[in-house]
Amino acid sequence: MSAPAIPAACAHRPTHGGLDVPYVSFEHNGLPVFGGLDPGKRTRAFENGLCQICERPLERWFYVLVRP
């Protein structure tokens, strides 16, 4: 199975295993932990109105996804 296409808005982000690495991803030994959040990056994104995936400033309309 091939990796999904990376959206143009995320083309500047690093990739790992063919997947886009979200801005707020935690890193362990230089490798991203998909699903793990870096508390510092998460806080910076929230306080500065940045997208947690692409790190760009949020626009007027945006989505919020929550999981337990």
Side-chain angles (χ1 to χ4, degrees):
M1 180 193 289
S2 63
I6 295 174
C10 296
H12 68 285
R13 299 289 315 145
T15 60
H16 182 74
L19 299 174
D20 178 47
V21 179
Y23 168 64
V24 296
S25 289
F26 180 77
E27 292 184 21
H28 180 69
N29 292 333
L31 297 174
V33 178
F34 289 104
L37 298 177
D38 180 304
K41 291 179 183 178
R42 183 189 64 209
T43 299
R44 280 192 296 280
F46 182 76
E47 290 177 346
N48 296 305
L50 303 175
C51 175
Q52 292 186 17
I53 298 172
C54 70
E55 192 185 359
R56 292 187 174 156
L58 295 172
E59 297 180 10
R60 181 173 177 206
W61 297 101
F62 57 90
Y63 292 92
V64 177
L65 303 174
V66 181
R67 67 179 190 179

